[in-house]
Amino acid sequence: MSGFTLDDLRTVMRECVGVDESVDLAGDIGDVAFAELGYDSLAVLELASQVQRTWGVPLTDTPALEARTPGAFVAYVNDNLTEAGR
Amino acid sequence: MGPSGTAVVTGIGVIAPTGMGTDAHWQAVLAGKPGIGRISRFDPSGYPVRLAGEVPGFVAREALPGRLVPQTDRWTHLALWAARAALDDAGVDPAALPEYAMAVVTSSSSGGTEFGQHEMERLYRKGPSWVGAYQSIAWFYAATTGQISIRHGMRGPCGVLATEQAGGLDAIGQARRVLRDEAELVVTGGTDASLCPYGLTAQLATGRLSTVEDAARAYLPFDVDASGYVPGEGGAILVLRDAAAVPPGAGYGVVAGYAAGFDPPPGSDRPRVLRRTLERALADAGCAPSDVDVVFADGLAVPAEDLAEARAISEVFGPGGVPVTVPKTLTGRLYGGGSALDAATALLALREGVVPPTAGTSRLAPGCDLDLVTGAPRRSAPRTAVVLARGHGGFASALVLRAVRGRDADGRGTTGVTEER
């Protein structure tokens, strides 16, 4: 399936927002809370900002920033990609 | 009030043009090995100042946790590294101490200029949505204090001092106050890293940077050829603890006295404040000028400022009355990190019993009647050191540091700890 995947999110997390050594990003992180991955609200805001620019999808509204897990974040991005006609 | 009211420096973390780590720094200082060279962090060919002191070999992505690097400026990177080094040096495990009993007080001169420049470039090249969320926390003066506090779980009374080159001493002075009031441990000192086009351009506005191209002749405080100073990056982080928490004889030295002042406005007929600040710091330490074994001078290398500082020193100690040194000639002036590094160097001098030399300066300017230590270290077994610092715009601070072990000239006490009030 095309669209925005968890691996795409992993790439942005690794390259743009940073990951602590104690976090296994390659693991099953879909349902792990951002907080447990060392991501506070500002980190999620930065994540949304990076994805918005790279993927051309508006994400700075509240639902994207309220995503508590990478899985929820990916789902929200894909919903918006669909709406954008991708 | 802390149990003893006496602040002991128990850990030092140096990250400076002289090297990463306290030992590397001290060996470079003793050997007179300079850390000044052509700016490599950007192409300086279009700028009138092309020399600087850069920290060699620091790679943030290798030295720091992955999450911290993209959300902080280089000046914070340097401080985070140095803070960890200082805590390790002090043998402190922050997780074993109450979090509200540990505080962080650092100095910052210009905040996160390199980070800020990067975000500004994105703003005017690509638009507002390209400015990163971390600009909101990376640039500002307290960012270093905050990141050290978060990383090590230190939730006591934290703060930041922004008094340019005087800031390192002012941070240590505030750290001592916090230690006396309520904290058991304070991480203090400071760093700076403004060697980017934006940061350098802001510094150029003072007109006090040297444009001499020969690295060995560019920064010559108190010399007849003084031509301004060379900028640098880095600094030092110190761990302060109350003497009651430290085994007798342990640590580098005691923060025995501190004072800060501010110059009267230009054109005033009132005297400048450095001499009185020095005298107040000595009074705070309860020591006479004759008790002081070495002065680490501010050494701006601007002739009128050199003369003013030399006169202040001579008025207090007598002409040539005390050994004076300016080891920062090896690093350039590090702004928010500068006097913190001077304090670290002074503490190492007290511990090792050696006064490190001033590099470069060879002919004292007329009126600078100083016993300036040049050429080689002087093994004079100093027990008490004074550090002077002036910050752009009128800040002046003085710190008195005393060796931990042994007796002073009057035979009072067996340690620097017990003899203090």
Side-chain angles (χ1 to χ4, degrees):
Chain A
M1 149 186 171
S2 63
F4 188 79
T5 68
L6 195 56
D7 275 341
D8 293 326
L9 183 64
R10 285 189 176 101
T11 301
V12 178
M13 291 174 77
R14 191 177 292 117
E15 294 179 0
C16 302
V17 194
V19 180
D20 278 338
E21 285 71 13
S22 59
V23 173
D24 177 18
L25 205 60
D28 188 9
I29 61 166
D31 295 325
V32 180
F34 275 122
E36 287 180 40
L37 298 170
Y39 274 47
D40 55 18
S41 58
L42 203 54
V44 176
L45 176 62
E46 178 67 10
L47 201 57
S49 178
Q50 298 273 357
V51 171
Q52 170 176 280
R53 291 198 294 268
T54 313
W55 291 75
V57 52
L59 290 174
T60 46
D61 51 349
T62 307
L65 306 181
E66 287 183 345
R68 296 185 179 280
T69 64
F73 188 93
V74 169
Y76 185 80
V77 172
N78 279 312
D79 286 349
N80 281 268
L81 278 173
T82 307
E83 284 178 23
R86 298 277 297 267
Chain B
M1 186 82 177
S4 79
T6 297
V8 183
V9 178
T10 63
I12 297 176
V14 171
I15 187 157
T18 34
M20 282 174 61
T22 303
D23 290 342
H25 167 68
W26 182 242
Q27 292 309 318
V29 164
L30 288 182
K33 185 182 161 199
I36 291 172
R38 185 179 170 88
I39 292 171
S40 69
R41 293 193 60 74
F42 64 96
D43 176 8
S45 56
Y47 297 81
V49 172
R50 293 170 201 138
L51 295 175
E54 295 181 324
V55 174
F58 179 76
V59 181
R61 283 186 175 275
E62 295 171 6
L64 296 173
R67 283 285 296 113
L68 278 175
V69 176
Q71 57 179 303
T72 47
D73 180 78
R74 178 173 172 86
W75 129 85
T76 301
H77 296 166
L78 299 178
L80 284 166
W81 188 91
R84 166 56 65 80
L87 287 165
D88 287 349
D89 186 40
V92 169
D93 175 12
L97 290 169
E99 59 185 357
Y100 286 98
M102 295 181 287
V104 185
V105 181
T106 68
S107 156
S108 178
S109 178
S110 52
T113 49
E114 193 175 73
F115 196 106
Q117 173 173 345
H118 183 247
E119 298 305 319
M120 279 191 287
E121 285 171 358
R122 291 160 72 97
L123 172 65
Y124 63 68
R125 285 182 181 159
K126 295 180 171 176
S129 71
W130 286 80
V131 176
Y134 289 119
Q135 170 66 4
S136 62
I137 62 165
W139 75 270
F140 85 128
Y141 304 109
T144 290
T145 285
Q147 294 291 357
I148 293 172
S149 162
I150 293 167
R151 186 181 188 191
H152 297 294
M154 299 174 165
R155 309 182 79 170
C158 294
V160 62
L161 281 295
T163 58
E164 215 250 357
Q165 180 88 14
L169 302 192
D170 293 336
I172 294 168
Q174 172 65 8
R176 183 182 67 156
R177 185 177 296 133
V178 165
L179 203 62
R180 284 178 169 172
D181 286 345
E182 50 194 308
E184 292 178 26
L185 178 154
V186 188
V187 173
T188 187
T191 56
D192 196 275
S194 288
L195 297 179
C196 60
Y198 163 40
L200 182 64
T201 302
Q203 296 162 38
L204 290 174
T206 66
R208 291 177 160 191
L209 274 67
S210 173
T211 54
V212 173
E213 301 247 14
D214 177 358
R217 302 286 300 163
Y219 179 31
L220 302 173
F222 303 115
D223 195 281
V224 289
D225 291 330
S227 59
Y229 66 87
V230 171
E233 63 173 3
I237 298 292
L238 312 177
V239 174
L240 255 64
R241 303 204 69 177
D242 187 272
V246 180
Y252 290 89
V254 170
V255 179
Y258 162 75
F262 198 81
D263 276 333
S268 167
D269 56 4
R270 287 187 286 135
R272 294 183 64 178
V273 80
L274 185 63
R275 173 187 171 172
R276 198 152 47 88
T277 303
L278 168 57
E279 291 170 335
R280 285 172 47 231
L282 292 175
D284 183 45
C287 72
S290 58
D291 295 332
V292 175
D293 302 311
V294 58
V295 172
F296 287 73
D298 178 60
L300 198 62
V302 171
E305 296 295 329
D306 282 356
L307 191 58
E309 184 177 23
R311 283 185 174 154
I313 293 170
S314 293
E315 284 165 9
V316 172
F317 296 99
V322 65
V324 175
T325 190
V326 193
K328 68 168 74 74
T329 41
L330 298 174
T331 63
R333 290 174 72 84
L334 311 186
Y335 304 102
S339 53
L341 182 63
D342 275 344
T345 307
L347 288 160
L348 293 165
L350 293 177
R351 190 181 70 168
E352 303 295 329
V354 178
V355 175
T358 306
T361 300
S362 57
R363 290 181 298 158
L364 288 175
C368 293
D369 298 322
L370 301 175
D371 173 16
L372 193 72
V373 179
T374 59
R378 192 181 292 182
R379 301 191 178 277
S380 53
R383 309 292 309 155
T384 302
V386 165
V387 183
L388 299 177
R390 291 173 294 183
H392 185 68
F395 299 104
S397 297
L399 190 73
V400 183
L401 298 165
R402 195 174 282 152
V404 167
R405 289 189 188 80
R407 293 173 181 277
D408 65 13
D410 299 329
R412 289 174 299 170
T414 53
T415 72
V417 174
T418 52
E419 79 193 33
E420 231 224 351
R421 288 169 292 152

